[in-house]
Amino acid sequence: MDIPEANGQAAGVVAQDAGLSAHEALAVVLQIRRGELCVLLWRRALPPCEGEWALPGGRLRPEESLGASIRRQLAQKVDVRDLSHLEQLETRSDPDRNPQRRTLATAYLGLVPADIDPVVPDDTRWHPAADLPPMAFDHASIVRAGRRRLRAKLSYTNVGFALAPPEFTMSELSGYYRAALGHDVAATNLRRVLLRRGQIEETGRSVPSGRSGGRPAALFRFRSLSLQITDAFAVLRPPGPGSGGL
Amino acid sequence: MDIPEANGQAAGVVAQDAGLSAHEALAVVLQIRRGELCVLLWRRALPPCEGEWALPGGRLRPEESLGASIRRQLAQKVDVRDLSHLEQLETRSDPDRNPQRRTLATAYLGLVPADIDPVVPDDTRWHPAADLPPMAFDHASIVRAGRRRLRAKLSYTNVGFALAPPEFTMSELSGYYRAALGHDVAATNLRRVLLRRGQIEETGRSVPSGRSGGRPAALFRFRSLSLQITDAFAVLRPPGPGSGGL
DNA sequence: GCAAAAGTGTTCGGGATACACCCATGC
DNA sequence: GCATGGGTGTATCCCGAACACTTTTGC
């Protein structure tokens, strides 16, 4: 997949004079697995950073956008249809981030719902996002940026739809929130918050209680499966009645 | 400044096969001028988009980061020391965003305090951000993205420090907030909010009242001149006393 | 004294957490 | 009936907006 070194270097020297540079798309793909926030990484078999873990992604092709590029490249790691959300994070451009050759990288945040278990290649594995293995280049800090972004957006958007399966009980959902946020989230209040904001709704069906009894849990679903800002302007909101003021 | 077309095209064809692409840094430079949020634009004298207005910026050089690049290029438009804040916005990669040649652009948001009036070149002018002239490429939508970012960050960070002069009265500050947010902000409440959050402090000095009388206004300053998140986790905050909960 | 602008005190309401209590089910 | 887990009601607190009132100045 990589261009041979000699070729890459030669083209680089010529092209950089013309304002060109190598560019790759990377993705922080997150999923809640067994109650833990995990990130999809692959293990580099070749130098540089041999043996270290890296984010999926790779070179941008001439006629594709960055979004299309990361979708194409993720298809080699997971079924792209498994991705419930994808958004751009940031572009890293430190000239030394790749010691071999100057490479810009645009990072994306991808989310996979908790109910599916994509088949991944042999070199690829899910790692707890809170306990990363030795990682190549600046990829560890990119993972942390993705985690921060997810945590922030859980507070003011409906991005939970991308972590949860199509239907879920409130205790399941609070488990996803706990894993992503890193702290307890009371199911009873989460329910009210998300209902008031119009993020979720009851399906009308429920799940039979387990062997130890207990009231059957109602099934909910997210009302929208695309990103919506549900709590904009926490402060400094526009004045006047009807705008959220007094 | 631009590389001649023939040269650029030829290098592009060769280089794109090697995974290289043209990359530029752009900046949405915003300043409050006469009570209005304005953006710094320059008028293109040559095709493509001749006569339309464009964001300052240009090609990334081989050994500079994007941040360094946009700072260098802004130096041709405004004194870089005038910039009170600079942060990355997003990277645009639509293959057709520049019809002449495939170009990636990483946009930055730059802020200039309200008290200075940088000297700008002849082709460059401040335009109201709410009423943009005909703009080149996708630059109009980038300006809107920068405006959205600023508005959001005024609510949960201390980014106001980058809009205001070193010292200011509360009515001046509420004017900056009004211009940036697009709605009225009561100075009396703004004072309390920013004081409680520890964003601003009194200098101890005050401004003599004007010809028409009135109590002299106290002078304030921001306590930090670098970006701080002062109101994280508006909702779904960690449980337990001492963490912001009950 | 009066107008004008700044600053303070107070009320109000929304929204989020915490917690007690009620409901439905399995055994 | 009782344990178990889900759901509802309610108290409390924080915080921002609104607004009346006080303070300090110029004329």
Side-chain angles (χ1 to χ4, degrees):
Chain A
M1 194 164 65
D2 265 27
I3 290 173
E5 266 323 302
N7 188 354
Q9 289 286 15
V13 169
V14 171
Q16 287 190 350
D17 289 343
L20 303 173
S21 47
H23 201 116
E24 63 185 7
L26 300 173
V28 180
V29 179
L30 299 177
Q31 185 191 27
I32 315 277
R33 299 175 67 85
R34 295 182 310 283
E36 200 173 22
L37 186 68
C38 294
V39 57
L40 189 71
L41 303 176
W42 65 281
R43 192 166 177 278
R44 293 181 63 89
L46 301 172
C49 304
E50 180 183 352
E52 296 183 357
W53 294 83
L55 293 172
R59 294 276 169 72
L60 179 68
R61 286 189 183 161
E63 284 307 321
E64 68 186 355
S65 70
L66 285 164
S69 181
I70 193 60
R71 281 181 191 279
R72 170 179 62 77
Q73 304 195 65
L74 278 181
Q76 301 167 0
K77 300 290 182 182
V78 292
D79 189 333
V80 177
R81 290 168 300 183
D82 295 342
L83 275 184
S84 47
H85 180 64
L86 186 68
E87 69 177 49
Q88 195 184 101
L89 274 175
E90 62 181 309
T91 299
R92 299 291 182 103
S93 60
D94 181 342
D96 303 320
R97 58 179 294 280
N98 180 336
Q100 289 226 334
R101 171 178 178 196
R102 202 275 164 80
T103 307
L104 279 79
T106 297
Y108 280 75
L109 171 64
L111 299 176
V112 175
D115 61 326
I116 58 186
D117 188 16
V119 283
V120 300
D122 281 347
D123 63 353
T124 305
R125 208 160 294 168
W126 294 95
H127 290 264
D131 181 25
L132 296 172
M135 289 188 66
F137 312 117
D138 53 359
H139 290 198
S141 80
I142 294 176
V143 172
R144 287 190 288 270
R147 210 169 150 229
R148 277 196 301 273
R149 174 78 64 96
L150 174 62
R151 281 158 59 145
K153 288 215 165 180
L154 279 173
S155 273
Y156 67 94
T157 73
N158 67 341
V159 76
F161 81 85
L163 296 178
E167 303 194 344
F168 47 85
T169 67
M170 286 313 301
S171 32
E172 286 163 4
L173 189 64
S174 78
Y176 306 142
Y177 274 74
R178 167 172 37 251
L181 291 172
H183 62 74
D184 264 10
V185 177
T188 175
N189 288 326
L190 184 64
R191 170 202 184 96
R192 254 183 301 228
V193 170
L194 299 188
L195 277 174
R196 170 152 26 94
R197 294 182 171 182
Q199 286 191 25
I200 60 174
E201 64 187 1
E202 279 192 82
T203 64
R205 279 171 300 120
S206 60
V207 159
S209 44
R211 53 229 165 276
S212 64
R215 179 170 169 171
L219 280 172
F220 290 79
R221 61 171 159 255
F222 276 89
R223 294 182 61 182
S224 166
L225 297 185
S226 66
L227 192 70
Q228 315 272 334
I229 294 175
T230 60
D231 199 42
F233 296 113
V235 295
L236 301 180
R237 45 182 169 278
S243 300
L246 174 60
Chain B
M1 192 167 66
D2 265 28
I3 290 174
E5 266 323 303
N7 189 354
Q9 289 287 13
V13 169
V14 172
Q16 287 191 350
D17 290 341
L20 302 172
S21 48
H23 201 116
E24 64 184 7
L26 300 173
V28 180
V29 179
L30 299 176
Q31 185 190 26
I32 314 278
R33 299 175 68 84
R34 295 181 311 283
E36 200 173 21
L37 185 68
C38 294
V39 59
L40 189 71
L41 302 176
W42 65 281
R43 192 166 177 279
R44 294 180 63 89
L46 300 173
C49 303
E50 180 182 353
E52 297 183 356
W53 294 83
L55 293 172
R59 295 276 169 73
L60 180 68
R61 286 189 184 161
E63 284 307 321
E64 68 186 355
S65 69
L66 284 164
S69 181
I70 193 61
R71 280 180 192 280
R72 169 179 62 76
Q73 304 195 65
L74 279 181
Q76 301 167 0
K77 300 290 181 181
V78 293
D79 189 333
V80 177
R81 289 167 301 184
D82 295 341
L83 274 185
S84 47
H85 179 65
L86 186 68
E87 69 177 49
Q88 196 182 102
L89 274 176
E90 61 181 310
T91 299
R92 299 292 181 100
S93 60
D94 182 343
D96 304 319
R97 57 179 295 279
N98 180 336
Q100 289 227 334
R101 170 178 179 199
R102 202 275 163 82
T103 307
L104 278 77
T106 296
Y108 280 75
L109 171 64
L111 299 176
V112 175
D115 62 326
I116 58 187
D117 188 15
V119 283
V120 300
D122 281 347
D123 62 354
T124 305
R125 208 159 295 169
W126 294 94
H127 291 263
D131 182 25
L132 297 172
M135 289 187 66
F137 312 117
D138 53 358
H139 290 198
S141 81
I142 294 176
V143 172
R144 286 190 289 269
R147 213 171 148 225
R148 276 196 303 273
R149 173 79 63 97
L150 173 63
R151 281 158 60 145
K153 287 215 166 179
L154 280 173
S155 273
Y156 68 94
T157 74
N158 67 341
V159 76
F161 79 85
L163 296 178
E167 302 193 346
F168 48 85
T169 67
M170 285 314 301
S171 34
E172 286 164 4
L173 189 64
S174 77
Y176 305 143
Y177 274 73
R178 166 170 40 250
L181 291 173
H183 62 75
D184 264 11
V185 177
T188 175
N189 288 325
L190 185 64
R191 171 202 183 95
R192 255 185 298 228
V193 170
L194 298 188
L195 278 173
R196 171 149 25 104
R197 294 182 172 182
Q199 286 191 24
I200 61 175
E201 63 187 2
E202 280 193 81
T203 65
R205 277 170 302 120
S206 60
V207 159
S209 44
R211 54 230 164 275
S212 65
R215 179 169 168 171
L219 280 172
F220 290 79
R221 62 172 159 253
F222 276 89
R223 295 181 59 182
S224 167
L225 297 186
S226 66
L227 192 70
Q228 315 272 335
I229 294 174
T230 59
D231 200 42
F233 296 112
V235 295
L236 300 181
R237 46 182 169 277
S243 299
L246 173 58

